[in-house]
Coordinates of all heavy atoms in Angstrom, one line a residue:
M5 N 17.5 -26.7 -9.5 CA 18.1 -27.3 -10.7 C 19.3 -28.3 -10.2 O 19.9 -27.9 -9.3 CB 18.7 -26.3 -11.7 CG 19.3 -26.9 -12.9 SD 20.1 -25.6 -13.9 CE 18.6 -24.8 -14.6
K6 N 19.3 -29.5 -10.6 CA 20.2 -30.4 -10.3 C 21.6 -30.2 -11.0 O 21.6 -29.6 -12.1 CB 19.8 -31.9 -10.6 CG 18.6 -32.3 -9.6 CD 18.4 -33.8 -9.6 CE 17.9 -34.3 -11.0 NZ 16.5 -34.3 -11.1
K7 N 22.7 -30.7 -10.4 CA 24.0 -30.5 -10.9 C 24.2 -31.0 -12.4 O 24.8 -30.5 -13.2 CB 25.1 -31.0 -10.0 CG 25.3 -30.3 -8.7 CD 26.6 -30.7 -8.1 CE 26.9 -29.9 -7.0 NZ 26.0 -30.1 -5.7
Q8 N 23.6 -32.2 -12.5 CA 23.6 -32.9 -13.9 C 23.0 -31.9 -14.9 O 23.5 -31.9 -16.1 CB 22.8 -34.2 -13.9 CG 23.4 -35.2 -12.9 CD 22.7 -35.1 -11.6 OE1 22.8 -34.1 -10.9 NE2 21.9 -36.1 -11.2
D9 N 21.9 -31.3 -14.6 CA 21.3 -30.4 -15.6 C 22.2 -29.2 -16.0 O 22.3 -28.8 -17.1 CB 20.0 -29.7 -14.9 CG 19.0 -30.9 -14.6 OD1 19.0 -31.9 -15.3 OD2 18.3 -30.7 -13.6
V10 N 23.0 -28.7 -15.0 CA 23.8 -27.6 -15.2 C 24.9 -28.0 -16.2 O 25.2 -27.4 -17.2 CB 24.5 -27.2 -13.9 CG1 25.6 -26.1 -14.3 CG2 23.5 -26.6 -12.9
R11 N 25.4 -29.3 -16.0 CA 26.5 -29.7 -16.9 C 26.0 -29.9 -18.4 O 26.6 -29.6 -19.3 CB 27.1 -31.1 -16.4 CG 28.3 -30.8 -15.5 CD 29.2 -32.1 -15.4 NE 28.4 -33.3 -15.0 CZ 28.2 -33.6 -13.7 NH1 28.6 -32.8 -12.9 NH2 27.5 -34.5 -13.4
S12 N 24.8 -30.5 -18.4 CA 24.3 -30.7 -19.8 C 24.0 -29.5 -20.5 O 23.9 -29.5 -21.7 CB 23.1 -31.7 -19.6 OG 22.1 -31.0 -19.1
M13 N 23.8 -28.4 -19.8 CA 23.5 -27.2 -20.5 C 24.8 -26.4 -20.8 O 24.8 -25.3 -21.4 CB 22.7 -26.3 -19.6 CG 21.2 -26.7 -19.5 SD 20.3 -25.8 -18.2 CE 20.2 -24.2 -18.9
G14 N 25.9 -27.0 -20.4 CA 27.2 -26.4 -20.8 C 27.5 -25.2 -19.9 O 28.4 -24.4 -20.3
I15 N 26.9 -25.0 -18.8 CA 27.3 -23.9 -17.9 C 28.4 -24.4 -17.0 O 28.5 -25.6 -16.5 CB 26.1 -23.5 -17.0 CG1 24.9 -23.0 -17.9 CG2 26.4 -22.5 -16.0 CD1 23.6 -22.8 -17.2
G16 N 29.3 -23.5 -16.7 CA 30.4 -23.8 -15.9 C 31.6 -24.3 -16.7 O 31.5 -24.4 -17.9
T17 N 32.7 -24.6 -16.1 CA 33.9 -25.0 -16.8 C 34.3 -26.4 -16.4 O 34.2 -26.8 -15.2 CB 35.1 -24.1 -16.6 OG1 35.3 -24.0 -15.2 CG2 34.8 -22.7 -17.2
G18 N 34.7 -27.2 -17.4 CA 35.3 -28.5 -17.1 C 34.3 -29.4 -16.6 O 33.1 -29.1 -16.6
G19 N 34.7 -30.6 -16.2 CA 33.8 -31.6 -15.6 C 34.3 -32.0 -14.3 O 34.7 -31.1 -13.5
Y20 N 34.2 -33.3 -13.9 CA 34.7 -33.7 -12.7 C 36.2 -33.3 -12.5 O 37.0 -33.4 -13.4 CB 34.6 -35.2 -12.6 CG 33.2 -35.7 -12.4 CD1 32.5 -36.4 -13.3 CD2 32.5 -35.4 -11.2 CE1 31.3 -36.8 -13.2 CE2 31.1 -35.8 -11.1 CZ 30.5 -36.5 -12.1 OH 29.3 -36.9 -11.9
G21 N 36.6 -32.9 -11.3 CA 38.0 -32.6 -11.1 C 38.4 -31.2 -11.3 O 39.1 -30.6 -10.6
M22 N 37.8 -30.6 -12.4 CA 38.1 -29.3 -12.7 C 37.3 -28.3 -11.9 O 37.7 -27.2 -11.5 CB 37.9 -29.0 -14.3 CG 38.8 -29.8 -15.2 SD 40.4 -29.0 -15.3 CE 39.9 -27.5 -16.3
N23 N 36.1 -28.7 -11.7 CA 35.1 -27.8 -11.1 C 35.1 -27.9 -9.6 O 34.2 -28.5 -9.0 CB 33.7 -28.1 -11.7 CG 32.7 -26.9 -11.3 OD1 33.1 -25.9 -10.8 ND2 31.5 -27.2 -11.6
N24 N 36.2 -27.4 -9.0 CA 36.2 -27.6 -7.5 C 35.8 -26.3 -6.8 O 36.4 -26.0 -5.8 CB 37.6 -28.1 -7.1 CG 38.6 -27.2 -7.6 OD1 38.4 -26.2 -8.3 ND2 39.8 -27.5 -7.2
K25 N 34.8 -25.7 -7.3 CA 34.3 -24.5 -6.5 C 33.3 -25.0 -5.5 O 32.6 -26.1 -5.7 CB 33.5 -23.6 -7.5 CG 34.5 -22.9 -8.5 CD 33.7 -22.0 -9.4 CE 34.6 -21.4 -10.5 NZ 33.9 -20.6 -11.4
A26 N 33.1 -24.3 -4.5 CA 32.3 -24.7 -3.4 C 31.1 -23.8 -3.3 O 31.2 -22.5 -3.5 CB 33.0 -24.7 -2.1
D27 N 29.9 -24.3 -3.1 CA 28.7 -23.5 -2.9 C 28.9 -22.8 -1.5 O 29.6 -23.3 -0.7 CB 27.4 -24.3 -2.8 CG 27.2 -25.0 -4.2 OD1 27.7 -24.4 -5.2 OD2 26.4 -25.9 -4.3
Y28 N 28.4 -21.7 -1.4 CA 28.5 -21.0 -0.1 C 27.1 -20.5 0.4 O 26.2 -20.4 -0.3 CB 29.5 -19.9 0.0 CG 29.2 -18.8 -1.0 CD1 28.6 -17.6 -0.5 CD2 29.4 -18.9 -2.3 CE1 28.3 -16.5 -1.3 CE2 29.1 -17.8 -3.2 CZ 28.5 -16.6 -2.7 OH 28.2 -15.5 -3.5
V29 N 27.1 -20.3 1.7 CA 25.9 -19.9 2.3 C 26.1 -18.6 3.0 O 27.1 -18.3 3.6 CB 25.5 -21.0 3.4 CG1 24.2 -20.5 4.2 CG2 25.3 -22.3 2.8
I30 N 25.1 -17.7 2.7 CA 25.3 -16.4 3.3 C 24.5 -16.4 4.6 O 23.4 -16.7 4.7 CB 24.6 -15.2 2.4 CG1 25.4 -15.1 1.1 CG2 24.6 -13.9 3.1 CD1 24.8 -14.3 0.1
C31 N 25.2 -16.3 5.8 CA 24.6 -16.4 7.0 C 24.3 -15.0 7.6 O 25.2 -14.1 7.6 CB 25.5 -17.1 8.0 SG 26.1 -18.7 7.4
S32 N 23.2 -14.9 8.1 CA 22.8 -13.5 8.8 C 22.7 -13.7 10.2 O 22.4 -14.8 10.7 CB 21.5 -13.1 8.2 OG 20.5 -14.0 8.4
I33 N 23.1 -12.7 10.9 CA 23.0 -12.7 12.4 C 21.7 -12.1 12.7 O 21.2 -11.1 12.1 CB 24.1 -12.0 13.1 CG1 24.3 -10.6 12.6 CG2 25.4 -12.7 12.8 CD1 25.2 -9.8 13.6
P34 N 21.1 -12.6 13.8 CA 19.8 -12.0 14.2 C 20.0 -10.5 14.6 O 21.0 -10.2 15.3 CB 19.3 -12.8 15.4 CG 20.2 -14.0 15.3 CD 21.4 -13.6 14.7
D35 N 19.0 -9.7 14.2 CA 19.2 -8.2 14.6 C 18.1 -7.9 15.6 O 18.4 -7.2 16.6 CB 19.0 -7.4 13.4 CG 19.1 -5.9 13.5 OD1 20.1 -5.4 14.0 OD2 18.0 -5.3 13.4
H36 N 16.9 -8.3 15.4 CA 15.8 -8.0 16.3 C 14.8 -9.0 16.2 O 14.8 -9.8 15.2 CB 15.2 -6.6 16.0 CG 14.6 -6.5 14.6 ND1 15.4 -6.1 13.5 CD2 13.3 -6.7 14.2 CE1 14.5 -6.1 12.5 NE2 13.3 -6.4 12.9
V37 N 13.8 -9.1 17.1 CA 12.6 -9.9 17.0 C 11.4 -9.0 16.8 O 11.4 -7.9 17.5 CB 12.4 -11.0 18.1 CG1 13.6 -11.9 18.1 CG2 12.2 -10.3 19.5
N38 N 10.5 -9.6 16.0 CA 9.3 -8.7 15.9 C 8.1 -9.4 16.6 O 7.9 -10.6 16.3 CB 8.9 -8.6 14.4 CG 7.8 -7.7 14.1 OD1 6.7 -8.2 13.9 ND2 8.1 -6.4 14.1
V39 N 7.4 -8.7 17.5 CA 6.4 -9.3 18.3 C 5.1 -8.5 18.1 O 5.2 -7.2 18.2 CB 6.8 -9.4 19.8 CG1 5.7 -10.1 20.6 CG2 8.1 -10.1 19.9
T40 N 4.1 -9.1 17.9 CA 2.7 -8.4 18.0 C 2.0 -8.8 19.3 O 1.9 -9.9 19.7 CB 1.9 -8.9 16.8 OG1 2.5 -8.6 15.6 CG2 0.5 -8.1 16.8
C41 N 1.7 -7.7 20.0 CA 1.1 -7.9 21.3 C -0.3 -8.6 21.2 O -1.1 -8.1 20.4 CB 0.9 -6.5 22.0 SG 0.1 -6.6 23.6
P42 N -0.5 -9.6 21.9 CA -1.8 -10.3 21.8 C -3.0 -9.6 22.6 O -4.1 -9.9 22.4 CB -1.6 -11.6 22.5 CG -0.4 -11.4 23.4 CD 0.4 -10.3 22.8
Y43 N -2.6 -8.5 23.3 CA -3.6 -7.8 24.0 C -4.1 -6.6 23.2 O -5.3 -6.3 23.2 CB -3.0 -7.3 25.4 CG -2.5 -8.4 26.2 CD1 -1.1 -8.7 26.3 CD2 -3.4 -9.3 26.9 CE1 -0.7 -9.8 27.1 CE2 -2.9 -10.4 27.6 CZ -1.5 -10.6 27.7 OH -1.1 -11.7 28.5
C44 N -3.1 -5.8 22.7 CA -3.6 -4.6 22.0 C -3.1 -4.5 20.5 O -3.4 -3.6 19.8 CB -3.0 -3.4 22.8 SG -1.1 -3.3 22.6
E45 N -2.6 -5.7 20.0 CA -2.1 -5.7 18.6 C -1.0 -4.8 18.2 O -0.8 -4.6 17.1 CB -3.3 -5.7 17.7 CG -4.4 -6.5 18.1 CD -5.1 -7.3 17.1 OE1 -5.3 -6.8 15.9 OE2 -5.3 -8.5 17.3
W46 N -0.4 -4.2 19.2 CA 0.7 -3.4 19.0 C 1.9 -4.1 18.4 O 2.2 -5.2 19.1 CB 1.1 -2.5 20.2 CG 2.4 -1.7 20.1 CD1 3.6 -1.9 20.5 CD2 2.4 -0.3 19.6 NE1 4.4 -0.9 20.3 CE2 3.7 0.1 19.7 CE3 1.5 0.5 18.9 CZ2 4.2 1.4 19.2 CZ3 1.9 1.7 18.5 CH2 3.2 2.1 18.7
E47 N 2.5 -3.8 17.3 CA 3.6 -4.6 16.8 C 4.9 -3.8 17.1 O 5.0 -2.6 16.7 CB 3.4 -4.8 15.3 CG 4.4 -5.7 14.7 CD 4.2 -5.8 13.2 OE1 3.0 -5.7 12.7 OE2 5.2 -6.1 12.4
D48 N 5.9 -4.5 17.6 CA 7.1 -3.8 18.0 C 8.4 -4.7 17.7 O 8.2 -5.9 17.7 CB 7.0 -3.4 19.4 CG 7.9 -2.1 19.7 OD1 8.6 -1.6 18.7 OD2 7.8 -1.6 20.8
D49 N 9.4 -4.0 17.4 CA 10.7 -4.8 17.4 C 11.5 -4.7 18.6 O 11.5 -3.6 19.3 CB 11.6 -4.1 16.3 CG 11.0 -4.3 14.9 OD1 10.3 -5.3 14.7 OD2 11.3 -3.5 13.9
Y50 N 12.0 -5.8 19.1 CA 12.8 -5.8 20.2 C 14.2 -6.1 19.8 O 14.5 -7.1 19.0 CB 12.3 -6.9 21.2 CG 10.9 -6.6 21.7 CD1 9.8 -6.9 21.0 CD2 10.8 -5.9 23.0 CE1 8.5 -6.5 21.4 CE2 9.5 -5.5 23.4 CZ 8.4 -5.8 22.6 OH 7.1 -5.4 23.1
D51 N 15.2 -5.4 20.3 CA 16.7 -5.6 20.1 C 17.1 -7.0 20.5 O 16.8 -7.4 21.6 CB 17.4 -4.5 20.9 CG 18.8 -4.6 20.5 OD1 19.2 -4.2 19.3 OD2 19.7 -4.9 21.3
W52 N 17.6 -7.7 19.6 CA 18.0 -9.0 19.8 C 19.0 -9.2 20.9 O 18.8 -10.0 21.8 CB 18.7 -9.6 18.5 CG 19.3 -11.0 18.7 CD1 20.5 -11.3 19.1 CD2 18.5 -12.3 18.6 NE1 20.7 -12.7 19.2 CE2 19.4 -13.3 18.9 CE3 17.3 -12.6 18.3 CZ2 19.1 -14.7 18.9 CZ3 16.9 -13.9 18.3 CH2 17.8 -14.9 18.6
D53 N 20.0 -8.4 21.0 CA 21.1 -8.5 22.0 C 20.4 -8.3 23.4 O 20.8 -9.0 24.4 CB 22.2 -7.4 21.8 CG 23.0 -7.7 20.6 OD1 23.0 -8.9 20.2 OD2 23.6 -6.9 20.0
E54 N 19.5 -7.4 23.5 CA 18.9 -7.1 24.7 C 18.1 -8.3 25.3 O 18.2 -8.7 26.5 CB 17.9 -5.9 24.5 CG 17.7 -5.1 25.8 CD 16.9 -3.8 25.5 OE1 17.5 -2.9 24.9 OE2 15.8 -3.7 25.9
I55 N 17.2 -8.8 24.5 CA 16.4 -10.0 24.9 C 17.3 -11.2 25.0 O 16.9 -12.2 25.8 CB 15.1 -10.2 24.2 CG1 15.3 -10.4 22.8 CG2 14.2 -9.0 24.4 CD1 13.9 -10.7 22.0
Y56 N 18.3 -11.4 24.1 CA 19.1 -12.6 24.2 C 19.9 -12.6 25.5 O 20.0 -13.7 26.2 CB 20.1 -12.6 23.0 CG 20.8 -13.8 22.9 CD1 20.4 -15.0 22.3 CD2 22.1 -14.0 23.6 CE1 21.0 -16.1 22.2 CE2 22.8 -15.2 23.5 CZ 22.3 -16.3 22.8 OH 23.0 -17.5 22.8
S57 N 20.3 -11.4 26.0 CA 21.1 -11.4 27.2 C 20.2 -11.8 28.4 O 20.6 -12.3 29.4 CB 21.7 -10.0 27.4 OG 20.7 -9.0 27.7
K58 N 18.8 -11.6 28.2 CA 17.9 -11.9 29.3 C 17.5 -13.4 29.2 O 17.4 -14.1 30.2 CB 16.6 -11.0 29.1 CG 15.8 -10.8 30.3 CD 14.9 -9.7 30.2 CE 13.5 -10.1 29.6 NZ 12.5 -9.1 29.4
M59 N 17.3 -13.9 28.0 CA 16.7 -15.2 27.8 C 17.7 -16.2 27.4 O 17.4 -17.5 27.5 CB 15.5 -15.2 26.8 CG 14.5 -14.3 27.3 SD 13.2 -13.9 26.0 CE 12.3 -12.6 26.7
G60 N 18.8 -15.9 26.8 CA 19.8 -16.9 26.4 C 19.4 -17.6 25.1 O 18.5 -17.2 24.4
S61 N 20.0 -18.7 24.9 CA 19.8 -19.4 23.6 C 18.4 -20.0 23.5 O 18.0 -20.5 22.4 CB 20.8 -20.5 23.4 OG 20.7 -21.4 24.5
G62 N 17.6 -20.0 24.6 CA 16.2 -20.4 24.4 C 15.4 -19.6 23.4 O 14.4 -20.0 22.9
L63 N 16.0 -18.4 23.2 CA 15.4 -17.5 22.2 C 15.2 -18.0 20.8 O 14.4 -17.7 20.0 CB 16.1 -16.2 22.2 CG 15.6 -14.9 21.6 CD1 14.2 -14.6 22.2 CD2 16.5 -13.8 21.9
Y64 N 16.1 -19.0 20.5 CA 16.1 -19.6 19.2 C 15.0 -20.7 19.1 O 14.7 -21.1 18.0 CB 17.4 -20.3 19.0 CG 18.6 -19.5 18.6 CD1 19.5 -19.1 19.6 CD2 18.7 -18.9 17.3 CE1 20.6 -18.3 19.3 CE2 19.8 -18.1 17.0 CZ 20.7 -17.8 18.0 OH 21.8 -17.0 17.7
Y65 N 14.4 -21.1 20.3 CA 13.5 -22.2 20.2 C 12.1 -21.8 20.6 O 11.2 -22.7 20.4 CB 14.0 -23.3 21.2 CG 15.4 -23.8 20.9 CD1 16.5 -23.4 21.7 CD2 15.7 -24.5 19.7 CE1 17.8 -23.7 21.4 CE2 17.0 -24.9 19.4 CZ 18.0 -24.5 20.2 OH 19.4 -24.7 19.8
G66 N 11.8 -20.7 21.1 CA 10.5 -20.3 21.4 C 10.2 -20.6 22.9 O 11.0 -21.3 23.6
N67 N 9.1 -20.1 23.4 CA 8.6 -20.3 24.7 C 9.7 -20.1 25.8 O 10.0 -20.8 26.6 CB 8.1 -21.7 24.9 CG 6.8 -22.0 24.0 OD1 5.9 -21.4 24.1 ND2 7.1 -22.8 23.0
C68 N 10.3 -18.9 25.6 CA 11.6 -18.7 26.4 C 11.4 -17.6 27.4 O 12.4 -17.2 28.1 CB 12.6 -18.3 25.4 SG 12.2 -17.0 24.3
G69 N 10.3 -17.0 27.5 CA 10.1 -15.9 28.5 C 9.2 -14.9 28.0 O 8.3 -15.2 27.2
S70 N 9.3 -13.7 28.5 CA 8.3 -12.7 28.2 C 8.9 -11.3 28.0 O 10.1 -11.0 28.4 CB 7.4 -12.5 29.2 OG 7.9 -12.2 30.5
V71 N 8.3 -10.5 27.2 CA 8.7 -9.1 26.9 C 7.6 -8.2 27.3 O 6.4 -8.6 27.4 CB 9.1 -8.8 25.5 CG1 10.4 -9.6 25.1 CG2 8.0 -9.1 24.6
E72 N 7.9 -6.9 27.6 CA 6.8 -6.0 28.0 C 6.4 -5.2 26.7 O 7.2 -4.7 26.0 CB 7.2 -5.1 29.1 CG 6.1 -4.2 29.6 CD 6.7 -3.1 30.5 OE1 6.9 -3.4 31.7 OE2 7.0 -1.9 30.1
C73 N 5.1 -5.2 26.5 CA 4.5 -4.4 25.4 C 4.7 -2.9 25.7 O 4.5 -2.4 26.6 CB 3.0 -4.6 25.3 SG 2.3 -3.6 24.1
E74 N 5.3 -2.2 24.6 CA 5.6 -0.8 24.8 C 4.4 0.1 24.9 O 4.4 1.1 25.4 CB 6.4 -0.4 23.5 CG 7.9 -0.7 23.5 CD 8.7 -0.1 24.5 OE1 8.6 1.2 24.6 OE2 9.5 -0.8 25.2
Y75 N 3.4 -0.5 24.4 CA 2.1 0.3 24.2 C 1.2 0.2 25.4 O 0.8 1.1 26.1 CB 1.4 0.0 23.0 CG 0.2 0.9 22.6 CD1 0.4 2.1 22.2 CD2 -1.1 0.4 22.9 CE1 -0.5 2.9 21.8 CE2 -2.2 1.3 22.5 CZ -1.9 2.5 22.0 OH -2.9 3.3 21.7
C76 N 0.8 -1.1 25.7 CA -0.1 -1.3 26.8 C 0.5 -1.8 28.1 O -0.2 -2.0 29.1 CB -1.2 -2.3 26.4 SG -0.7 -4.0 26.2
K77 N 1.8 -2.0 28.1 CA 2.6 -2.4 29.2 C 2.3 -3.8 29.7 O 2.7 -4.2 30.9 CB 2.5 -1.4 30.3 CG 3.0 0.0 29.9 CD 4.4 0.1 29.5 CE 4.8 1.5 29.0 NZ 6.1 1.5 28.4
Q78 N 1.5 -4.5 29.0 CA 1.3 -6.0 29.4 C 2.4 -6.8 29.2 O 3.3 -6.5 28.3 CB 0.1 -6.5 28.6 CG -1.2 -5.9 28.8 CD -2.1 -6.6 29.9 OE1 -1.6 -7.4 30.7 NE2 -3.4 -6.3 30.0
E79 N 2.5 -7.8 29.9 CA 3.7 -8.8 29.8 C 3.2 -9.7 28.7 O 2.1 -10.5 28.7 CB 3.9 -9.6 31.0 CG 5.2 -10.3 31.1 CD 5.5 -11.0 32.5 OE1 5.4 -10.2 33.4 OE2 5.7 -12.1 32.5
I80 N 4.1 -9.8 27.6 CA 3.8 -10.7 26.4 C 4.6 -12.0 26.7 O 5.9 -11.9 26.6 CB 4.1 -10.1 25.2 CG1 3.4 -8.7 25.0 CG2 3.8 -11.0 24.0 CD1 3.9 -7.8 23.8
Q81 N 4.0 -13.1 26.8 CA 4.6 -14.3 26.8 C 5.1 -14.8 25.4 O 4.2 -14.7 24.5 CB 3.8 -15.5 27.4 CG 3.4 -15.2 28.9 CD 4.6 -15.5 29.8 OE1 5.6 -16.1 29.5 NE2 4.5 -14.9 31.0
L82 N 6.3 -15.1 25.3 CA 6.7 -15.5 23.9 C 6.5 -17.0 23.7 O 6.8 -17.8 24.5 CB 8.2 -15.2 23.7 CG 8.6 -13.7 23.8 CD1 10.1 -13.6 23.7 CD2 7.9 -12.9 22.7
G83 N 5.8 -17.2 22.5 CA 5.4 -18.7 22.2 C 6.4 -19.2 21.2 O 7.6 -19.1 21.4
E84 N 5.8 -19.7 20.1 CA 6.7 -20.3 19.1 C 7.4 -19.1 18.3 O 6.9 -18.1 18.2 CB 5.8 -21.0 18.0 CG 5.0 -22.1 18.6 CD 5.8 -23.3 19.0 OE1 6.6 -23.7 18.3 OE2 5.7 -23.7 20.2
C85 N 8.6 -19.5 17.9 CA 9.3 -18.5 17.0 C 9.4 -18.9 15.6 O 9.3 -20.1 15.3 CB 10.7 -18.3 17.5 SG 11.8 -19.7 17.4
E86 N 9.4 -17.9 14.7 CA 9.6 -18.1 13.3 C 10.8 -17.4 12.8 O 11.2 -16.4 13.4 CB 8.4 -17.6 12.6 CG 7.2 -18.4 12.5 CD 6.0 -17.7 11.9 OE1 6.2 -17.0 10.9 OE2 4.9 -17.9 12.3
Y87 N 11.3 -17.8 11.7 CA 12.4 -17.1 11.1 C 11.9 -16.3 9.9 O 11.2 -16.9 9.1 CB 13.6 -18.0 10.7 CG 14.2 -18.6 11.8 CD1 13.8 -19.7 12.5 CD2 15.5 -18.1 12.4 CE1 14.4 -20.3 13.6 CE2 16.1 -18.5 13.4 CZ 15.6 -19.7 14.0 OH 16.3 -20.1 15.1
D88 N 12.4 -15.1 9.8 CA 12.0 -14.3 8.7 C 13.1 -14.4 7.5 O 14.2 -14.4 7.8 CB 11.9 -12.8 9.1 CG 11.3 -11.9 8.0 OD1 10.7 -12.5 7.2 OD2 11.6 -10.8 8.1
Ligands
ZN118 ZN1 0.0 -4.3 24.1

């Protein structure tokens, strides 16, 4: 919904000048990454801090290294990343 629509519906108080509230964004910090092993399809969560300390900020962009599958012990190369 656009701001003009809100005003025409009478929601909020005052007009220009009075309504100096700011929208805000709830920011979340990464907790873990979820990876599905391409070899055995085992899905596992990896602690963010642990792999971040290994790979650094490349972790935000993908193709940043590898993790070991808990199940089949294969090395999983990390490709593209997605945000949940
Ligand atoms: Zn595996």
Side-chain angles (χ1 to χ4, degrees):
M5 185 182 288
K6 290 198 290 275
K7 287 196 175 70
Q8 298 90 295
D9 300 331
V10 176
R11 268 202 304 277
S12 66
M13 288 170 68
I15 298 173
T17 55
Y20 288 113
M22 296 279 292
N23 190 12
N24 55 359
K25 293 179 181 175
D27 294 341
Y28 65 99
V29 178
I30 299 172
C31 305
S32 57
I33 57 165
D35 179 63
H36 64 272
V37 300
N38 185 263
V39 182
T40 301
C41 176
Y43 304 103
C44 68
E45 311 225 315
W46 177 259
E47 186 182 333
D48 209 355
D49 291 337
Y50 295 83
D51 186 66
W52 174 269
D53 290 337
E54 204 172 296
I55 59 175
Y56 186 86
S57 67
K58 207 166 85 177
M59 300 173 190
S61 58
L63 196 51
Y64 286 102
Y65 306 106
N67 298 295
C68 51
S70 61
V71 293
E72 187 187 274
C73 175
E74 283 293 312
Y75 189 77
C76 70
K77 305 296 178 189
Q78 294 266 17
E79 192 172 311
I80 305 169
Q81 295 289 337
L82 297 178
E84 301 293 308
C85 65
E86 277 173 41
Y87 290 85
D88 187 25

